[in-house]
Every structure is written in C-alpha cells, then in structure tokens.
Amino acid sequence: MNAHHAALRAPALLAALLALLTGCATAPDAIPGKRHSTQELLSYQPGDFRWQPTRAGAEEAARERDLSLLRQRLSLAPGSAEAQAALPEILAAVLHYNTEIDAARAPALSGLTGLETKPVDVQRAVLSAVYRFYAPEASAQLWSLLPKLSSPREFAIAANALLKPLTGPARQSAAAQIKAQMQLSFPTTWADEPRLRALSWPLDQALQPRAPALTPPPLADLLAAPLRPGYPVVFSLQRPGREVLGLALLRGADGRFVREADGRLFQVPQLARALSNLPGTITLGNTPQGIFAVRGSSTASNPSIGPTPFLETKLPIEASVSEFFQVDGSDLDWSEPLYAALLPPSWQAWEPIKEAWLAGRAGRDEILMHGSVVNPDYYRGASYYPATPTAGCLTAPEQWDPANGRLLASGQLQLAQAFARAYSQAQERNPGGLDPMVKGYLVMVELPGNDGAGGPVQAAELEASVQAAEQRWLSRPR
C-alpha cells in the first residue's frame, strides 16, 4: 500500500483541509507529479515556491475546522456504532495534530475489545495509536488480543506495544511469551515473514540480558561503501528511537564528502520519524534503516509535503533490480544476498541494516526525502522540534512566510540541490553516461546509543568517521 495515500485516505474528517491544500498551490513548479531535471533543481531559489495554506489565516482556519470535527466525533456516545466507525479517523487526527490525546484514550482502549473481528486496516489504525500514546495502560488488553491477531503486521504492532514500556526482567519475560506466541500463531512463516523477522531482533535482544550490548560495525566502513561508484550518496544518520533530529551528509560520486567553502561538512538536519514511531517494516512506520535507490526528483501530490521538490527514493523490490543498481536491462531477480552485496563485509551480518530490504518485501513504498508544509507548532515541545514527523519519510525543516505563503528557507531544497550538483559533476566526468534526472543512493542508519541520548546528531561527532571513510575510499582496489 502506498503509505502516503493510505495516510490521506484514512482521516475523512480532514477531507476539507486536504481539498484546500491541493487546491491552493499556485506556483507553476508546484504541479503535482512534475519531474525536475538536474538542471532545473540547480536553478531554483526558495522564493520560487509558495504554498498558500501556510499563510497564518488559512492554516489556522483549517486547523480549527478539523479540530472542531474531531471534538464532535470524540463526543459521540461511547461504544455506539458511530463512535466505532469514526475511531480510525479520530486517531489519525490525534496523531496528525498531536492533540486531544487524553480525550482519545478511552475510545482507543475500548477499541481494542473485539478488534480481531475488524478489518486489518482498522486494526492497524487502532494498534498504531495505542502503541504511540497508550501502550502502558493497554497491556492487559493487548495480551488478551495478541493470540487472536492473524495478520503478521498487526501482530507485530501489538507485540511492539507490549514491549515498549518494559525494561529489565519484565521485558525479558514478555519477550519470551511473545516469541512463543509468534511461533504458535505463525508456525511456518515466523522466521522469514518480513515484519515478524524484524520483530525477532528486539525479542532476541531482550532474551539475552547478560550478553554484551550489541553495537553496529564501524561507521567508517559503511560511509566508505562503494555501492555503485559514480553516484552521489545521502547518508542520513539518526539516533535510536528517532526522538531527536538526525543529520544528512552527502558523499560525492568521487567518494569525498561534500564540504562548505570553510571546510565544514555540508549538512542538513533531517528527521526520519513517523507519526506512529513504529518500526520501519510496518506501514506508516519510521524510515527503515538500510539502502535506498534515488530515482529522480518530483513535486508531490500529497499536500502535507508541499511544492518543494522531493528526492524520490525506492526500496528494494519497490525498485526493480535494474533501477536499484542503476543499470539497464538486468534480468536478475531480487534476493537478500543481492541486497547485502552493496554493503561492506563488516555490515553484511548486521540485521538492522537489512530493515530496508525487509520493508520492501513487506510492501512499503514511496518513502521520500522531502520538505514540509505542516505547522511545526503542532509538535512544539517535542525533542525533534521544529521538524515534523511524517507517514514514514525523511523530512527536512522548512520556513514559510505566514504573510504570503512563500518559502523562506528550506533544508530540503539545499539537500536536493547539493545532490543535483554532485550528480551533475559526475555527468561531466562521464559524458553521455548518465540520465538528466538525478540518481544515486540513500543510506539510512541509526548511530549507537540509547533512545535520544546525546541530543540531535552533530557533524563534529561524525568527522573522524568521515575522514576514515574517505581514506578507505581513496585506497580501495581499482
């Protein structure tokens, strides 16, 4: 399922807002679906983009209208057919606006009763909101519900919600029960089904409390990964938990990281956190760790993204082998070894970096690098502010003029143009060998550490690994 389209279809109470947003883009370059060539990307200025719904009056009116509808739905008689039917829409709006969380608690928890009889998309909506906001108080109901969930995706969401508030021996005990139930519920598929395989990682970690803490292989090895030489690579480096801003760095096609005129690393703050904050193999979950192919730049039809050109990234399987490896006419079929071959040897056995592979197998798609026209004040006080969470993409903060809706500053435009410049330089070295549309790679990876520990990712903590990676690139066999 298309993650963005699923997010927009679900909350019918937001339909008026979405109609307003889609109807008010007036910049010629804001035509939904427009493809941007390398040279077009390089020619843009922030002032070329405007989005009328970011004007203070328009945004406030739309928000108040939607919140009024949300409160009306929250006032429906508890347990009534109307209230039950509206629950997915209620919870989608609560996630989007980050408000009425206490008022939605009782409806969300009551929605767990008999949830196994509802369609899987209703199950996902309710379980996702419970995971995000109400996991501790939902524990007893989730334990009762878990054996009744026959869909791997919904089972994985419920299991993660059970694990979320637990530490120490309680987490170890819960992991053992969940793993036993997973093997009982999915006896022939649990080890390979992508969402259940991803779930097995935190379960196995919890079941080995005395084992030394696992840390990923050296970051420099990953930063030096050849991938497909001759293409630029965005490295998005995030903290576990995605509660703080990460950082996007750019490696040029020559293996050197792009730097500013004063020698500082080129860097763009970037958030890879979903509204639900669920794992990356789950629909509308966080951006999965791993390798993505960059396959051009477009303007989105999704109104929460706005008119700033996004970089289109594709997961394995979402992209054919030919697209992913940036070659023409490959007749190879996708396999895990083929994906792992892009990784340096030290990373090939590191399970978390295969999350992108599993997410592609699970059917996730349209995970983009984009800007945002969502009002960051919805998330004021969050540790990732002023960035805005998404339906699972990577987003860079943007500033829009509340008086006229014009773009004032955009990390996304900076990133897209730096990527286009690096790609253009590769074209110059390989005349006739590259497509006019930008192409390359994205590598999304979490740094070692506890959830959110260390604050936003800073370039200074990455400098040594970057320098080591550049040395390895330059000394690699040709």
Side-chain angles (χ1 to χ4, degrees), residues 46-47 49-50 308 398-401 405-410 413:
F49 301 94
R50 57 189 182 274
T308 312
E398 294 186 311
Q399 296 178 0
W400 297 86
D401 191 329
R406 285 195 176 274
L407 183 60
L408 298 174
S410 171
L413 186 59

Side-chain angles (χ1 to χ4, degrees), residues 129-169:
V130 167
Y131 172 86
R132 173 68 183 89
F133 294 123
Y134 314 115
E137 55 261 64
S139 179
Q141 290 172 277
L142 289 170
W143 279 119
S144 176
L145 180 63
L146 193 67
K148 304 172 187 175
L149 295 172
S150 59
S151 164
R153 182 182 69 183
E154 283 61 52
F155 183 97
I157 300 173
N160 278 289
L162 284 165
L163 285 175
K164 183 180 179 181
L166 302 178
T167 58

